[in-house]
Amino acid sequence: PAALPAGSCFAIPTNKTIDVRLLTGATIFGLGWGLTGICPGPGLYAASAGVMDSIVAWMPSFLFGSLVGGKIVEQVW
């Protein structure tokens, strides 16, 4: 495995609380994945590799969802 860059660290989360914020985020993530049919990781890879379906359909949806999610977090949390 590759080493982490100097000065950075990796920590395993210890919070085990299942709350409304977690469930809401998981639901939105799952709906987006289900509606587009592609996970964000492979979607970013496909877009960067020049796959037109990903660039034309998936990338705008991903960016719009990120924008809306950010606005919801600003308003609610």
Side-chain angles (χ1 to χ4, degrees), residues 3-10:
L4 293 173
S8 64
C9 65
F10 178 81

Side-chain angles (χ1 to χ4, degrees), residues 2-77:
L4 293 173
S8 64
C9 65
F10 178 81
I12 296 174
T14 58
N15 184 355
K16 295 183 181 187
T17 304
I18 297 176
D19 58 6
V20 173
R21 187 174 181 180
L22 174 68
L23 294 175
T24 302
T27 300
I28 293 170
F29 180 84
L31 286 171
W33 190 344
L35 290 171
T36 62
I38 189 166
C39 175
L44 288 171
Y45 173 79
S48 67
V51 177
M52 288 309 292
D53 287 346
S54 182
I55 294 170
V56 172
W58 182 83
M59 185 59 81
S61 300
F62 178 76
L63 295 174
F64 178 73
S66 297
L67 177 70
V68 171
K71 296 294 181 187
I72 289 171
V73 168
E74 287 176 7
Q75 296 293 322
V76 178
W77 289 287

